[in-house]
Amino acid sequence: MPLTLVARVGAALLSTALALGGTVASPTTPDPGSLAPAATNGLPTSLALAATITVPEQTTQLISPENLEAYTQPNGVLNRQLDAFYGQPVALGIDPMILASIRILGTSAPASAVSWLERLEGAPNETFSLAYADADVATLAQAGLGSITVPTDFTVDPNLFPEAPAPSESATAGPDETVSPTIAPGDEDDAGSEETEPESMVPTGEQLVDLPFTLAAMMWPRESTVITTDLPVFNAAGPVTTILDSTNVSYVRDAIPASARIGDSAALVATSDISALLREAGSAGSDAAWVAAMAELTAALAGWTAGDSTVLATFGRDIPFSTNRIPATIAALTATPGIVVTSLAATMDEAAVDASIVDQPVGADRVALVAGMLATEPAIAQFSSILETPSLITGERRRTLLALASTAWVDSTSDWPAEVSAYVDGSTEILESVQVLESSTINLLSETGDLPVTVSNALPYPVTVYVTVTSNTAILDVLEGRVAVTVEGGSQSRAAIPVQSIANGTASLVVTLSSVTNVPISSPTYMTTNVQAGWDTAFTTIVAVLVLLMFIGGIIRTVRRRRRLKAEAAAQSIAGPAA
C-alpha cells in the first residue's frame, strides 16, 4: 500500500476531528500511518448508511404535547437526532407516530415541534416509514399478528384546523391588472353561479402519517429477531423491503452484499461488524476513542471483497444515544479514499443475491406478553359495533398496542410487563363499560304496559344498543323482543319494553344487550317483576258495581219517597171533608 495513500487517510481523519471538536492528540491516539484505507482489492467500497428517528418508550397511542415539546427542544432527543443526520448521506427511517402526534394537534401543537417537523420535511435525506411507534415487528409476527400496517383511523378535532380561504373571483397581479380564475371548458355557464366552499384543512389519516417519504415501503425489525415465517407477515399488506442484520441471514458465499432476496421477499442486509464499528465511532466519548474507532472501521471496509456490491451499515436505535460524533464519522468516511457513500435507493436497485433466514426467534416471555394484548382485539372489534364509528375504540387500542410493542421498551428500565397488564385490564374495562343497571323489584299493575330498563354508558362516545328481555315464566308476555336505545357518552338512558300480563305472580326476567350485528354486550342482567294480572279490571268492576248499587239505591229511595208523599196527600184529602 503506498505510504502517501496511508498518510492521506490518516490526515483526513485527523483534520475532520480537529474541524469538528478540537485536538485529538493524546497518548492513546493511533499513529496516522496505521490507518488503512478501504478498497485493498483495488475496487472502491460502496457504503450505504441508514438510521432511525424515534422517541423513548410511550404508553399511549400518541406522544403527549408536553413530551413533544421536550423532545424538540435544542437538547431534546428528536432535535439531537435530526441535527446529527440532517443533510447527511444517511437514509432515515422515521416513526410515523411522531408525525401524527404533531400534526393532529393542529394549531395547538408546540411551536418547537412544528418547527422541528418543518425542518424534517425539508431535509434532503432519503426517508422511509418505520412501523407505527417503531413497533417490534418480529415480535408482533411471532405473537400471531397476521399483517403489520401503519394505522390511519385517527379521530381528528376539526376545531384545531382553520379553514383555508375560498379562492377569490380575481387575484391582483399588479397595480393595473387582474388575473381571473381559470374556468374549465364546459363550466362557463356555471361560473359564478355558486359560491366556492372554503377548503377544509383537516388532515386525513393518511396525511397524518406521511412525510411524504422518498423510499418505498420498508420493514425494519430489531437485529437478530427474525424467523423465516415472519417475512410473509411483513409482506401481507403489500411488498416491502426488510432490513435485516447479517447475523440473521445466511449467504452461499462469505461476502455480504446489501441487496438480497429471500424467497419472494426483498431484503437489505446490514453487515453486523461494520455497523458495530460505525456505532462505536459515532458515540465515541473522546477524540482519541473516535480516531481509534475510525481506524478499525476503515480497516474493516478495506477488506470488503464483494466486488461492486454495496455494504450496508446502520446506526443504533439506542435512546438516549450520543450523536455528537456522527457528523464527524460520516464526513471522515466520505473523505476516505476508496470509500464511496451511496444511497439506499441505489443499493435497492442492485442485483439481489439469494439468501436465507437464520432463525433467531424472539424470547418466549416477550412474545407471550404481546400475544396477550393481541388476544383482546377480536372482542374489542365486536364490541365496537355499538358505536357509529367503531375505530374510535379499535383505532386507539391498536395504536396503543403498537406503542407498547415498541422496540424502545426492549431496553427500558420501566416495568414493561406492568404496562402490558394495564393495557389488557383497560380492554376489559371497555368491554364492561356499557351495561344494564340492576333495579329493585318492579310492580306491574296493569294488564299491558312498559317495562323500564336503564342502560349506562361509561364510554366518552354515544352508543346504540338493543335491549332484549325474556321471561322465564308464562305469566308475562314480552310484546317486543328487541328494543333499540341510544345512550350518550358518560350517561344513562331508559328503554321501554312493552309487556302484557297473563296471570298473577312473580316473573323472573333476563335482560341482555347486543349490537346491531347481534354481538352480545356485557353480561346478562336478571330482574324480578310482581305481576297483578287483571287487577285494574277487577277494581274497575267493583267500582262500577258500587256505583250501580248506589244508583239503584237512589232510585229505590226516590220511589219510596214519592209513594210516601202520595199517601200523605191522599190521607189529607180524606180527612178534609170529614172535618
Side-chain angles (χ1 to χ4, degrees):
M1 184 183 301
L3 182 59
T4 55
L5 183 58
V6 173
R8 200 160 60 241
V9 174
L13 292 174
L14 291 171
S15 62
T16 301
L18 289 170
L20 294 169
T23 180
V24 296
S26 74
T28 59
T29 301
D31 179 359
S34 67
L35 299 177
T40 57
N41 62 352
L43 294 173
T45 298
S46 180
L47 174 66
L49 300 172
T52 60
I53 301 290
T54 56
V55 294
E57 67 276 8
Q58 305 291 311
T59 59
T60 54
Q61 59 165 331
L62 293 166
I63 306 167
S64 69
E66 295 76 18
N67 282 343
L68 283 174
E69 186 169 22
Y71 296 158
T72 53
Q73 292 299 312
N75 200 39
V77 61
L78 286 177
N79 206 58
R80 294 205 317 270
Q81 291 177 76
L82 190 54
D83 283 346
F85 298 120
Y86 185 93
Q88 301 285 1
V90 179
L92 298 179
I94 298 166
D95 178 1
M97 179 177 67
I98 302 170
L99 309 178
S101 297
I102 298 173
R103 289 178 176 146
I104 203 169
L105 293 174
T107 55
S108 67
S112 62
V114 173
S115 298
W116 180 90
L117 180 56
E118 290 175 348
R119 187 179 175 213
L120 176 65
E121 291 171 335
N125 301 65
E126 292 180 302
T127 55
F128 60 93
S129 176
L130 297 172
Y132 191 85
D134 190 23
D136 188 352
V137 292
T139 300
L140 288 168
Q142 292 167 40
L145 187 59
S147 176
I148 300 172
T149 59
V150 174
T152 58
D153 49 355
F154 295 87
T155 302
V156 183
D157 183 358
N159 296 318
L160 298 176
F161 298 88
E163 289 184 339
S168 60
E169 290 298 323
S170 61
T172 303
D176 301 318
E177 60 180 346
T178 37
V179 177
S180 298
T182 301
I183 300 176
D187 291 343
E188 292 86 351
D189 295 338
D190 296 333
S193 62
E194 295 183 3
E195 293 185 3
T196 305
E197 291 292 333
E199 180 184 355
S200 173
M201 299 295 288
V202 179
T204 64
E206 289 76 10
Q207 290 171 333
L208 288 176
V209 295
D210 191 19
L211 195 55
F213 299 105
T214 64
L215 296 175
M218 310 275 281
M219 201 70 69
W220 193 347
R222 281 192 301 125
E223 295 171 359
S224 305
T225 60
V226 176
I227 60 177
T228 304
T229 54
D230 292 343
L231 294 183
V233 176
F234 296 165
N235 289 270
V240 301
T241 298
T242 302
I243 299 178
L244 297 167
D245 185 71
S246 60
T247 60
N248 219 161
V249 179
S250 175
Y251 283 88
V252 295
R253 56 183 182 178
D254 294 335
I256 307 173
S259 180
R261 177 155 291 276
I262 302 172
D264 296 329
S265 303
L268 286 173
V269 181
T271 305
S272 177
D273 295 342
I274 301 295
S275 295
L277 294 171
L278 176 69
R279 298 169 192 180
E280 183 179 349
S283 60
S286 66
D287 292 338
W290 178 78
V291 173
M294 286 301 303
E296 290 188 72
L297 177 58
T298 53
L301 290 170
W304 183 245
T305 59
D308 57 355
S309 296
T310 297
V311 57
L312 172 62
T314 61
F315 290 91
R317 276 180 160 105
D318 300 337
I319 295 177
F321 69 97
S322 175
T323 58
N324 60 319
R325 303 279 174 177
I326 289 177
T329 299
I330 298 171
L333 288 171
T334 304
T336 300
I339 295 178
V340 177
V341 180
T342 187
S343 68
L344 209 59
T347 304
M348 295 166 68
D349 288 338
E350 294 178 4
V353 176
D354 288 333
S356 59
I357 293 291
V358 177
D359 286 349
Q360 296 186 355
V362 178
D365 290 345
R366 180 172 178 80
V367 171
L369 286 171
V370 173
M373 290 193 290
L374 289 173
T376 66
E377 289 198 325
I380 288 291
Q382 291 184 325
F383 174 87
S384 65
S385 59
I386 65 177
L387 276 70
E388 183 177 357
T389 306
S391 61
L392 291 172
I393 294 178
T394 58
E396 180 276 327
R397 288 285 86 188
R398 170 56 67 88
R399 290 189 293 272
T400 303
L401 186 154
L402 294 176
L404 289 171
S406 172
T407 58
W409 281 101
V410 174
D411 297 320
S412 172
T413 57
S414 301
D415 191 350
W416 181 64
E419 297 295 343
V420 171
S421 178
Y423 173 90
V424 175
D425 291 343
S427 294
T428 302
E429 290 177 5
I430 290 174
L431 296 176
E432 296 175 348
S433 60
V434 178
Q435 55 187 323
V436 175
L437 292 182
E438 294 185 1
S439 63
S440 58
T441 300
I442 299 173
N443 294 314
L444 185 62
L445 304 178
S446 60
E447 184 177 356
T448 60
D450 290 333
L451 191 70
V453 175
T454 302
V455 180
S456 68
N457 173 23
L459 295 172
Y461 321 110
V463 301
T464 298
V465 293
Y466 289 80
V467 181
T468 300
V469 177
T470 55
S471 176
N472 291 336
T473 59
I475 66 173
L476 188 67
D477 185 20
V478 179
L479 300 179
E480 189 172 347
R482 200 162 183 254
V483 175
V485 58
T486 297
V487 190
E488 295 298 322
S491 66
Q492 302 174 4
S493 187
R494 178 172 292 181
I497 313 299
V499 294
Q500 180 175 14
S501 58
I502 305 301
N504 293 338
T506 301
S508 179
L509 306 175
V510 180
V511 184
T512 58
L513 299 179
S514 61
S515 71
V516 66
T517 55
N518 287 312
V519 174
I521 305 298
S522 74
S523 301
T525 301
Y526 299 91
M527 300 173 60
T528 301
T529 301
N530 285 332
V531 181
Q532 298 297 325
W535 183 88
D536 57 336
T537 302
F539 177 79
T540 303
T541 302
I542 293 171
V543 172
V545 170
L546 291 175
V547 171
L548 179 61
L549 291 176
M550 291 175 63
F551 179 73
I552 294 172
I555 292 174
I556 293 173
R557 287 197 301 273
T558 301
V559 171
R560 285 179 177 177
R561 183 182 174 207
R562 287 180 177 178
R563 286 179 177 178
R564 187 177 65 253
L565 292 175
K566 187 176 181 181
E568 290 177 354
Q572 289 178 359
S573 63
I574 294 173

